[in-house]
Amino acid sequence: QWNLVCDDDWKGPFSTSLFFVGVLFGSFVSGQLSDKFGRKKVLFITLGMQTSFSFVQVFSTSWEMFSVLFVLVGMGQISNYVAAFVLGTEILGKSIRIIFCTLGVCIFYAFGYMLLPLAAYFLRDWRTLLLALTLPGLLCIPLWWVIPESPRWLISQGRFQEAEAIIRKAAKMNGITAPDVILDPIEMQDLNSQKQQAYTILDLVKTQNIRTVTIMSVILWMIISVGYFGLSLDTPNLHGDIYVNCFLSAVTEVPAYIISWLLLRNFPRRYSMAAALFLGGCVLLFIQLVPAHIRALSILLVMLGKFGITSAFSMVYVYTAELYPTVVRNMGVGASSMASRLGSILSPYFAYLGAYDRFLPYILMGSLTVLSGILTLFLPESYGMPLPDTTEQMLTVKGLKYRPACNSTRVSSDEEENPVILKSTAF
C-alpha cells in the first residue's frame, strides 16, 4: 500500500513509532485532564476519540493521513485506558479492586490480544481488519448510564452530596442498608473550610518523598515497557509461523495475569513484583546459553520471560495507583504510563539489535529487568494499607527520613474502606 518499499520502507515501522508518540502525549495530558474534569468524562471522551479517528483511518488516502490519524488514535487509546483503570481503582474496595485491576482489565486485554492474530489471519486486507477492530468501540456508548464518577474524586473536589448519592445508589443496588451518616460532618466541614488547591504535574516532585516515588516509578515503568514491547515486537523473528507465535505470546499473558492477581491478593507488593522481574530477567539472560539446534527451548524461554515481565506489568499499575494520593493519583499513573511509552518507542530498536547479534536484545532486556527488580525493593510497601488521600498520608520510601505534619491525620483502614463502597461490585 502506497509503495512503502525500497527507499520508503522506513515508513512502515515509523508509523508504529508515531502511534506510540501519540500514546506518549496522551499519557502526559490525560492524567491532568482526569484529575481536573473527572475520571468519567475523560474516559468516554477519549473512547469516542479513539473510535472515531480509527474509523476515519480506514478511509485514509495517503500514508501521511494514516500516520497523523494514528497519532490521534494513540492519544485516545492510552487516555481511556488510564482513566478506566484509575476509576475502577478508586470506586471499588480492596478485594474487588485487585480483581478489577488484574483479571478485570488485563486478562480481557489478553483476550483481545489473542483475537488479533486470528482476525488478521482471516482478514488479510488492512482496511477490513481495522474496521473490524474499530466497530466494537460503539458498544461502550450505553456504559455512560452505568458507570458512575469516582466518589473519591468528587470528595477531593468538595462535591460531597454527589459522592454520597453514588455510594447510596451502590448500597441500594447491592441490597445493603446504608448508614444514616456516610461522610462524617465534622470531617467534611474541615475539608470545606480548607482552600481548594489546584494540583499540577509539578506536585509529583514537590516533596522529597513523592519526588523519589515518581523518579523510581518512571524508571520502573520504562524498563518494564522495554521488556514487554521488545519481546512482543520480536515475536515475528522467532522460528515458526508468525500468526502462531503471536497467538502463543498472547496466551502466555493469561496465566501471567492470573498469577499476578494471586500475588497481589496474598503477598506484599514489593516482593511479588521483584520476584516476577527477577524471573523474567534471568530467563532472558539464559537464552544465550541454549544450543542453536534446540529452537523449541529458546521459544519456551522467551515465552517464560514474557510471562514474568507481563506479570510485573500487571502489578505495577496496582502498585503505582496505591502509592500516589487521590489528589494526584491519575497524574501519577499518567506520568508513569508516559515513561512506559518512552520505553515502548525505544523497544523496536532493542528488537532491531538482533540483526547484529541474535542474543544482544535478550542480554540488554534481561539485565535491565533484573536491575528494575532490585529497584522495586526500595519502594514502600502498600499491601494492606489504606489508599492515601493527601500527600502527607503517602507511605515513605525506604531509606528516607520523614516527619509527618502536625495537622496530618491518618485515616484508619476500616474508615477508609467504607463497607458500602467495598461491596459496590454492581459497578
Side-chain angles (χ1 to χ4, degrees):
Q1 187 75 42
W2 302 313
N3 296 318
L4 303 185
V5 294
C6 299
D7 292 340
D8 290 333
D9 61 351
W10 59 273
K11 293 182 178 180
F14 186 65
S15 297
T16 304
S17 296
L18 287 176
F19 171 82
F20 284 119
V21 168
V23 170
L24 173 64
F25 284 118
S27 301
F28 179 76
V29 175
S30 63
Q32 299 180 67
L33 292 177
S34 185
D35 283 332
K36 185 175 182 179
F37 299 106
R39 296 15 176 164
K40 181 178 178 179
K41 289 182 180 178
V42 173
L43 169 62
F44 283 93
I45 289 174
T46 53
L47 271 172
M49 178 180 177
Q50 177 186 353
T51 303
S52 58
F53 284 119
S54 294
F55 182 76
V56 176
Q57 219 179 359
V58 176
F59 305 98
S60 298
T61 57
S62 65
W63 174 80
E64 289 78 9
M65 177 181 176
F66 178 91
S67 299
V68 170
L69 291 170
F70 218 13
V71 174
L72 298 174
V73 170
M75 292 178 63
Q77 185 270 335
I78 191 60
S79 297
N80 65 62
Y81 187 90
V82 173
F85 177 85
V86 174
L87 177 59
T89 299
E90 292 184 342
I91 204 170
L92 300 173
K94 287 182 179 178
S95 59
I96 306 301
R97 181 192 310 144
I98 295 175
I99 296 177
F100 168 80
C101 295
T102 51
L103 302 186
V105 174
C106 296
I107 206 168
F108 281 95
Y109 171 88
F111 289 157
Y113 189 1
M114 292 165 60
L115 291 174
L116 177 60
L118 296 176
Y121 181 82
F122 291 104
L123 303 175
R124 298 302 177 96
D125 177 67
W126 70 268
R127 296 182 190 271
T128 306
L129 176 62
L130 184 56
L131 183 62
L133 299 177
T134 300
L135 292 179
L138 299 176
L139 299 177
C140 297
I141 295 177
L143 296 179
W144 173 266
W145 292 275
V146 179
I147 300 176
E149 182 56 89
S150 166
R152 288 181 178 275
W153 179 81
L154 291 172
I155 293 174
S156 70
Q157 300 297 306
R159 296 159 61 176
F160 307 116
Q161 292 183 347
E162 296 177 57
E164 184 167 333
I166 292 175
I167 297 173
R168 291 191 181 280
K169 182 179 179 181
K172 183 178 180 180
M173 293 177 66
N174 290 279
I176 300 172
T177 303
D180 295 334
V181 178
I182 296 180
L183 303 176
D184 186 88
I186 299 178
E187 182 182 352
M188 295 303 102
Q189 185 177 359
D190 292 339
L191 289 174
N192 274 321
S193 63
Q194 296 176 2
K195 182 180 179 180
Q196 292 295 327
Q197 180 179 355
Y199 291 88
T200 65
I201 194 73
L202 296 178
D203 287 286
L204 298 180
V205 293
K206 190 173 184 179
T207 65
Q208 183 183 14
N209 189 52
I210 194 172
R211 181 168 56 248
T212 305
V213 169
T214 299
I215 293 173
M216 295 174 70
S217 297
V218 164
I219 296 174
L220 189 60
W221 279 64
M222 185 180 298
I223 293 177
I224 295 176
S225 180
V226 167
Y228 177 83
F229 288 103
L231 292 177
S232 298
L233 295 174
D234 192 59
T235 301
N237 297 328
L238 299 175
H239 298 284
D241 186 88
I242 59 174
Y243 294 98
V244 174
N245 289 337
C246 183
F247 181 77
L248 290 176
S249 179
V251 170
T252 302
E253 297 196 6
V254 175
Y257 294 135
I258 295 176
I259 290 296
S260 64
W261 167 61
L262 294 175
L263 290 175
L264 289 172
R265 184 179 180 182
N266 300 295
F267 297 98
R269 310 291 194 243
R270 289 188 302 134
Y271 300 125
S272 298
M273 273 202 57
L277 291 169
F278 286 143
L279 171 64
C282 292
V283 166
L284 294 180
L285 292 174
F286 288 150
I287 293 177
Q288 59 183 315
L289 305 178
V290 178
H293 63 279
I294 311 180
R295 297 174 178 176
L297 181 58
S298 296
I299 295 177
L300 177 63
L301 291 178
V302 171
M303 295 304 170
L304 188 58
K306 177 79 179 298
F307 170 86
I309 294 176
T310 301
S311 298
F313 215 160
S314 173
M315 289 186 281
V316 75
Y317 270 92
V318 180
Y319 197 8
T320 305
E322 291 179 345
L323 291 178
Y324 282 104
T326 301
V327 291
V328 292
R329 181 170 296 119
N330 214 124
M331 272 192 290
V333 176
S336 301
S337 181
M338 181 183 67
S340 77
R341 302 316 150 190
L342 289 174
S344 64
I345 293 173
L346 295 173
S347 59
Y349 299 97
F350 278 77
Y352 179 73
L353 291 175
Y356 300 95
D357 187 326
R358 187 70 191 96
F359 301 112
L360 185 56
Y362 301 122
I363 294 174
L364 292 176
M365 289 187 289
S367 300
L368 289 174
T369 303
V370 171
L371 289 176
S372 66
I374 297 174
L375 179 66
T376 303
L377 296 175
F378 291 93
L379 287 170
E381 181 54 64
S382 62
Y383 178 66
M385 301 294 291
L387 288 177
D389 289 317
T390 63
T391 305
E392 291 77 13
Q393 294 176 357
M394 287 184 65
L395 299 169
T396 309
V397 175
K398 304 299 179 183
L400 287 183
K401 294 182 179 180
Y402 176 68
R403 180 179 297 176
C406 59
N407 59 347
S408 173
T409 57
R410 183 77 178 181
V411 182
S412 68
S413 178
D414 292 338
E415 293 174 341
E416 187 271 350
E417 295 293 351
N418 189 291
V420 178
I421 302 180
L422 179 64
K423 296 183 179 294
S424 59
T425 55
F427 291 137

